[in-house]
Amino acid sequence: MASAAHAQSVKDDMLSLGFELQLRHDSNVANASDERTAERGLVKAEQVVSPAATIALRRAFGPHSVQLSGYVGYDFHTRNTRLDSERISLDATGDIKAS
């Protein structure tokens, strides 16, 4: 289930927001044998719920432009809560036109 909302698009400028929600079943969440999984105190199979938000921004400065994109998400484990974790990224790029 994913949806996206585009907030602005003027000339070369752009702002985009997105939201997603994933639900997945993992039959071996520890990526280990049954014995190793038990040693770690984990349950082998479970469901993981992962909501996330994205943003993308492009700003033009004459023939030049700057782009930023970010992603923030979190993994919620239904049975092994100590495996819960965030996912964060930020990227920046630019285009410079030279004669």
Side-chain angles (χ1 to χ4, degrees), residues 5-25:
H6 295 282
Q8 179 182 355
S9 180
V10 178
K11 295 183 183 177
D12 291 331
D13 295 345
M14 183 265 307
L15 174 62
S16 173
L17 301 173
F19 304 96
E20 65 182 53
L21 177 64
Q22 291 183 356
L23 172 62
R24 65 184 182 279
H25 175 78

Side-chain angles (χ1 to χ4, degrees), residues 20-85:
E20 65 182 53
L21 177 64
Q22 291 183 356
L23 172 62
R24 65 184 182 279
H25 175 78
D26 193 334
S27 61
N28 187 1
V29 73
N31 293 323
S33 67
D34 291 343
E35 295 80 22
R36 182 69 182 129
T37 300
E39 286 174 9
R40 293 176 60 195
L42 298 173
V43 178
K44 195 166 187 177
E46 72 169 341
Q47 290 72 39
V48 181
V49 179
S50 303
T54 61
I55 185 169
L57 171 66
R58 181 177 58 229
R59 177 79 175 145
F61 300 99
H64 317 292
S65 66
V66 174
Q67 299 88 28
L68 296 172
S69 60
Y71 179 93
V72 177
Y74 202 84
D75 292 334
F76 294 97
H77 294 257
T78 58
R79 301 176 80 186
N80 300 296
T81 58
R82 70 181 196 182
L83 297 179
D84 290 356
S85 62

